[in-house]
Amino acid sequence: MGLPKFGRPKGGGGGGESSPNLYVANCGPAVGISYVDIRSVFGRFGPVKGVFAADESGARVVVCFDGEVSARAALEALNGRPCADLGGRSLHVRYSVERPACQANVNDSLQVCTHASELEIPGLYLLHDFISLGEEKELLAAVDDRPWNSLAKRRVQHYGYEFRYDTRNVDANRHMGELPSFVSFILERISSFPGLPCASNSSLDQLTVNEYPVGVGLSPHIDTHSAFEDLIFSLSLAGPCIMEFRRYFGSAWLHKDVSGTDVNVDSLESSKFLRKAIYLPPRSMLLLSAEARYAWHHYIPHHKVLIMWFFRWT
C-alpha cells in the first residue's frame, strides 16, 4: 500500500475543510529545514504520522497528524508566525485534504531527505557545499567557453572518453585527452571524499557535463557497467534538484562483473519498486558506489535549469 496523496488546499489563510493534514509553505530542505526538525516542531502539538514533500520544489511539505485537534492547534500556533526552531522562517499553513488515488501525482507523497544517511542506501554519500559560490561561477563560465553537443532534449560535453549514446558505451580506443585544467581542484578534493572506497590507486578519467533545461529530467537508469567502473561522482551546479532512487522488487544487485549494459527500465516499469529521494542543493557532490551504484536506478523529475557534472572511472 502506497503513501497517502495530498492535494494543494484551495483558498487563503487557514480556512477550508478541516483535516489532520497540514500544507506548510516556506518549509523544507530547499530553505535549509530538515524533515527531522519539521517533525520535531510539529510533534509538540500531537503525534505526527509523517512529513512528506508537497511538490518537487523542496520548499513545501505536508505534515500528517493522528487527528484534527492536533492539526488545528499547530495551524493556529504556527501559521504566519516566525518559528525560531525552523530557522526563524514565517510558515504559511493551511489544511490539506487527501485526494483519491486516481487524482494523485505519485511524487506528491514521497519524503525527500537532505542527507544521504537518511536514505540508508549503502554506498551513497552526499557532501553539501563541496565547492564555493565563486568556484561554481568560474566552472560555469569555463564550460560555457567550450563547444556543446546537442542531444534531443539537452546539451552535453564529454572529456577523457566520449560516451556513445547509440551503443551506450565508450570507445576505450579513442582517448580524447586529459580532463580540462579547470576541474583540477575538483579532482584533488575528491581524493579526500568521506567514505571513499579503496581506490587510491585509481584516477578519474571521464567527465560528462549535462545541461538540463526547463522541463527536462533524467529517466530512471543505472549507468552502463561495462563503460564505467565502480565510482560515479555527480556535481550539481546552477540550481537544486530532487534525485529519486528506485530499487525494483525481484531484481538482484547487478554487479559490473555480471551485467555489462544498462538494465532495461521499460521491462521493469510495471513492476513494484521501493522509492527514496534526496535533495541535491547547488554545489553539492554526490557519490554513487557499491549498492547505490549497481542496484538502485537514479532519476531526476522535471525541474528548472540544472547543470550536472558526472566524473567516472572508465
Side-chain angles (χ1 to χ4, degrees):
M1 181 176 179
L3 295 171
K5 316 298 191 299
F6 304 94
R8 182 168 182 165
K10 298 179 180 180
E17 183 179 348
S18 181
S19 165
N21 312 311
L22 297 178
Y23 177 94
V24 186
N26 197 28
C27 184
V31 293
I33 301 175
S34 72
Y35 283 82
V36 173
D37 290 339
I38 295 170
R39 178 186 285 270
S40 175
V41 169
F42 281 82
R44 299 168 187 170
F45 303 93
V48 174
K49 295 170 60 178
V51 179
F52 307 104
D55 51 38
E56 294 174 354
S57 70
R60 292 178 283 270
V61 300
V62 172
V63 179
C64 303
F65 286 96
D66 273 345
E68 295 181 8
V69 174
S70 299
R72 185 181 306 112
L75 186 150
E76 293 174 353
L78 299 175
N79 183 38
R81 297 183 176 89
C83 180
D85 292 327
L86 293 179
R89 307 192 74 85
S90 294
L91 308 182
H92 306 285
V93 187
R94 288 184 283 175
Y95 290 116
S96 182
V97 181
E98 187 172 348
R99 294 183 294 176
C102 61
Q103 299 178 8
N105 182 321
V106 296
N107 287 324
D108 285 355
S109 61
L110 181 62
Q111 179 168 330
V112 181
C113 299
T114 56
H115 296 84
S117 59
E118 299 172 0
L119 273 69
E120 298 182 341
I121 298 178
L124 184 70
Y125 302 91
L126 176 66
L127 280 186
H128 293 239
D129 298 313
F130 185 79
I131 64 173
S132 68
L133 182 60
E135 290 170 335
E136 178 186 40
K137 292 179 179 179
E138 291 176 0
L139 286 173
L140 292 173
V143 77
D144 276 337
D145 284 340
R146 302 291 185 103
W148 290 91
N149 295 323
S150 296
L151 303 180
K153 295 183 178 181
R154 69 181 191 272
R155 299 192 302 173
V156 300
Q157 294 183 19
H158 294 290
Y159 299 96
Y161 293 89
E162 181 181 7
F163 182 77
R164 296 287 303 275
Y165 295 95
D166 53 348
T167 62
R168 302 191 65 79
N169 211 329
V170 297
D171 184 354
N173 297 319
R174 185 169 179 267
H175 187 235
M176 302 169 62
E178 300 300 322
L179 299 188
S181 59
F182 58 78
V183 300
S184 298
F185 76 97
I186 297 178
L187 302 181
E188 293 177 3
R189 212 164 287 176
I190 282 177
S191 64
S192 58
F193 200 97
L196 187 67
C198 297
S200 57
N201 295 326
S202 301
S203 61
L204 292 163
D205 58 5
Q206 202 278 340
L207 165 64
T208 297
V209 182
N210 290 280
E211 179 190 54
Y212 298 98
V214 176
V216 175
L218 184 65
S219 299
H221 72 285
I222 295 176
D223 288 274
T224 307
H225 300 167
S226 60
F228 308 116
E229 293 291 341
D230 297 329
L231 310 179
I232 294 180
F233 293 88
S234 176
L235 177 64
S236 300
L237 302 179
C241 76
I242 293 174
M243 179 173 282
E244 179 180 316
F245 291 86
R246 297 182 180 183
R247 177 70 183 264
Y248 289 88
F249 297 154
S251 352
W253 180 350
L254 301 174
H255 193 271
K256 65 184 178 65
D257 292 336
V258 297
S259 177
T261 60
D262 281 351
V263 175
N264 185 348
V265 176
D266 293 336
S267 66
L268 297 173
E269 283 299 326
S270 60
S271 64
K272 296 181 179 179
F273 50 83
L274 177 64
R275 300 169 62 222
K276 298 185 179 185
I278 190 168
Y279 176 75
L280 303 180
R283 300 176 297 282
S284 65
M285 179 70 86
L286 183 75
L287 167 59
L288 299 176
S289 65
E291 184 176 324
R293 162 76 172 91
Y294 295 112
W296 291 78
H297 290 70
H298 54 280
Y299 159 69
I300 301 175
H302 299 326
H303 52 268
K304 298 181 179 180
V305 174
L306 171 72
I307 305 290
M308 298 199 76
W309 302 45
F310 293 95
F311 295 85
R312 306 178 177 95
W313 270 274
T314 57

